[in-house]
Amino acid sequence: MIENKNLNPVPERTVLVGLAMQGQTKEQVKEYLDELAFLVRTAGGEPVHRFVQRLTKPNPKTFVGHGKLEEIKQFVAGHGIDTVVFDDELSPSQQFQLEKELGVKILDRTRLILDIFAMRARTAYARTQVELAQYEYLLPRLKGMWTHLERQRGGIGMRGPGEREIETDRRIVQKRIADLKRKLAKIDIQKRTQRGNRGKLVRVALVGYTNVGKSTLMNLLAKSKVLAENKLFATLDTKTAKIQVGNISFLISDTVGFIRKLPTQLVESFKSTLDEVREADILLHIVDAAHPARDEHIRTVRQILHEIGAGNKPEILVFNKIDLLDAAALQQLQNEYGRQTPAPLFISAEKKINMDALKESLYRQVRRIHVKRYPKDDLLYPDLDFLT
Ligand SMILES: Nc1nc2c(ncn2[C@@H]2O[C@H](COP(=O)(O)OP(=O)(O)OP(=O)(O)O)[C@@H](O)[C@H]2O)c(=O)[nH]1
Ligand SMILES: [Mg+2]
């Protein structure tokens, strides 16, 4: 049994399991499992091996087919595996069955993401939202899921906000959910009032896939200190700063990153964090230009924006991390996206490449909205004089 699970934990030896669905290329499937491996490492696990099965749909009982399950079972038994992670959400009965068959801890993608969010939540507000999402996910799964085996193990999937272990008693969980909802409703009212007090300054939100460099860019633009690091979901709380470009002031917000198959419980309970995005005038959609799944990331982010009701906002695409591209790859990227309007930007926040072009574009877009709100200011804000 791992006693000291939060202090200097031994990384859980983890096996990854994914399905290759119809129409998915080899590269796509690899990329999906790469992302799952990154999630596992972010949660403190060590990915040891991957299993992929080509199926048209998941097996309703055991997710993978019988033969594949046997293969996994043998590997788990022979290699000292602690945990098996599935790249999709498992139904409560699949979860139960797999745990019984494999005899080790079973996690699905949703629970892994929730666990990372729990590790990452710093403020009381983020913690409340994550805890609610965790309990909403757990409630239908409490029966059978929390075997004594799993309780003993602790670790990934067991962490509540602040690294407390999460509660598993059904009645207590139900009461917690009701309490958390009440608490959130209260905070929401405060937040709304705060946002209302900001007046009519133009609001820009940094949005994008997780780990693309939103916080790095925010720090650069707002000279603030938001945690930026090479881990998934470094940012869970929205940070807003007032900044000035040229002679115009506006608000800029850095917020939680998106990911494919973002758990619905999270989208639900992060509703008011996402209000910042919903109420923004302009979205700066940051993209990791060097990521192999960049185009899919853009589609995923747009899909989630659409789902949260922010799909119709003016969007400026900002391709970040161009320092990682060679000249040919950059050219290809520019050919692919260069013709869109407003014109996309190609920058490196870390190496401070093309920051003036970004500020100029931001200024233009912000100014357009600002003078619509304050027509009298039109003359006060000559177009782009600050750069010349
Ligand atoms: N090479 C390179 N790395 C960058 C650049 N911008 C950011 N990074 C790195 O990318 C990683 C993620 O940066 P963050 O700013 O934390 O990304 P984020 O989008 O805020 O991520 P989440 O908050 O986790 O969603 C960090 O390791 C940064 O140092 C860039 O222009 N070039
Ligand atoms: Mg961030």
Side-chain angles (χ1 to χ4, degrees):
M1 188 165 89
I2 302 167
E3 280 291 343
N4 216 352
K5 64 185 182 337
N6 291 328
L7 305 171
N8 195 17
V10 182
E12 286 174 46
R13 290 171 57 76
T14 305
V15 163
L16 316 180
V17 183
L19 295 184
M21 304 290 216
Q22 226 158 15
Q24 287 176 354
T25 62
K26 248 191 174 152
E27 293 75 40
Q28 250 174 333
V29 173
K30 176 181 178 300
E31 159 52 33
Y32 292 160
L33 285 181
D34 284 348
E35 182 174 271
L36 189 67
F38 196 2
L39 284 166
V40 166
R41 281 195 301 272
T42 298
E46 181 197 353
V48 174
H49 194 74
R50 303 173 174 198
F51 287 94
V52 176
Q53 184 168 41
R54 203 161 267 288
L55 279 182
T56 44
K57 62 176 176 29
N59 180 306
K61 278 211 183 100
T62 49
F63 191 73
V64 290
H66 184 68
K68 188 57 82 179
L69 190 63
E70 276 306 312
E71 239 181 86
I72 299 172
K73 203 177 195 167
Q74 282 186 8
F75 188 92
V76 163
H79 294 81
I81 298 304
D82 304 301
T83 306
V84 182
V85 179
F86 291 78
D87 194 30
D88 281 279
E89 191 162 314
L90 298 169
S91 71
S93 71
Q94 282 172 330
Q95 165 90 35
F96 181 69
Q97 195 61 30
L98 285 166
E99 202 167 85
K100 210 168 87 181
E101 298 260 358
L102 296 175
V104 291
K105 180 158 73 181
I106 305 298
L107 294 178
D108 64 10
R109 182 185 173 87
T110 301
R111 191 158 153 208
L112 181 61
I113 293 175
L114 289 170
D115 196 66
I116 294 171
F117 269 66
M119 281 166 70
R120 298 298 208 180
R122 300 270 188 278
T123 61
Y125 185 45
R127 286 183 185 175
T128 311
Q129 296 180 104
V130 173
E131 210 178 341
L132 177 61
Q134 281 188 311
Y135 285 139
E136 299 263 5
Y137 167 84
L138 279 180
L139 192 59
R141 293 173 168 82
L142 282 172
K143 208 176 113 217
M145 180 173 184
W146 304 97
T147 61
H148 66 284
L149 175 122
E150 205 170 338
R151 269 176 204 275
Q152 280 176 9
R153 279 170 187 267
I156 307 175
M158 297 300 292
R159 286 173 288 225
E163 303 259 321
R164 268 184 294 117
E165 216 157 271
I166 39 181
E167 180 56 58
T168 56
D169 181 296
R170 191 178 176 81
R171 267 182 317 182
I172 299 180
V173 167
Q174 276 166 330
K175 184 171 176 313
R176 275 303 279 160
I177 289 180
D179 290 348
L180 288 165
K181 280 187 174 163
R182 259 197 304 276
K183 203 165 147 191
L184 274 181
K186 238 192 229 161
I187 305 178
D188 282 352
I189 294 173
Q190 290 168 1
K191 293 260 166 193
R192 212 170 305 142
T193 317
Q194 277 170 15
R195 284 198 302 269
N197 290 341
R198 285 191 203 145
K200 287 207 273 178
L201 284 180
V202 176
R203 283 152 66 175
V204 178
L206 297 171
V207 296
Y209 213 77
T210 178
N211 207 42
V212 296
K214 298 178 295 298
S215 299
T216 309
L217 183 61
M218 172 80 173
N219 288 338
L220 207 58
L221 289 172
K223 302 187 179 66
S224 61
K225 283 212 180 65
V226 180
L227 173 77
E229 57 177 332
N230 191 20
K231 286 198 168 163
L232 300 177
F233 305 112
T235 309
L236 289 193
D237 296 293
T238 303
K239 276 253 157 54
T240 300
K242 188 167 156 184
I243 64 169
Q244 192 163 347
V245 174
N247 49 10
I248 205 162
S249 291
F250 55 96
L251 297 171
I252 191 152
S253 298
D254 175 29
T255 190
V256 56
F258 298 160
I259 195 165
R260 52 186 274 280
K261 300 185 193 163
L262 191 66
T264 42
Q265 297 92 349
L266 272 180
V267 180
E268 275 296 305
S269 62
F270 271 73
K271 245 189 188 125
S272 40
T273 291
L274 294 168
D275 276 349
E276 205 68 52
V277 175
R278 232 189 317 268
E279 295 172 9
D281 300 296
I282 299 167
L283 303 179
L284 272 193
H285 179 168
I286 319 298
V287 182
D288 179 347
H291 199 287
R294 153 189 96 201
D295 299 332
E296 191 175 346
H297 286 180
I298 295 175
R299 285 196 295 275
T300 301
V301 168
R302 286 183 172 157
Q303 174 63 32
I304 296 171
L305 287 172
H306 176 76
E307 279 164 26
I308 64 167
N312 294 322
K313 296 196 179 284
E315 177 201 56
I316 310 175
L317 274 178
V318 179
F319 291 92
N320 187 34
K321 307 198 190 185
I322 60 160
D323 54 296
L324 300 176
L325 296 180
D326 60 26
L330 181 59
Q331 188 59 52
Q332 201 200 334
L333 175 68
Q334 283 169 333
N335 291 346
E336 207 175 312
Y337 285 94
R339 270 192 287 276
Q340 299 193 358
T341 45
L345 291 144
F346 303 91
I347 67 158
S348 166
E350 205 160 85
K351 301 275 188 291
K352 303 197 173 88
I353 303 172
N354 288 342
M355 292 306 292
D356 277 349
L358 173 69
K359 285 181 192 165
E360 181 181 323
S361 169
L362 253 181
Y363 182 86
R364 268 185 220 280
Q365 304 292 331
V366 170
R367 182 184 179 280
R368 220 167 31 92
I369 297 171
H370 184 93
V371 295
K372 237 185 249 166
R373 262 175 222 172
Y374 302 98
K376 280 197 210 134
D377 279 2
D378 199 7
L379 290 175
L380 284 176
Y381 295 97
D383 204 6
L384 297 178
D385 61 339
F386 72 100
L387 283 172
T388 51

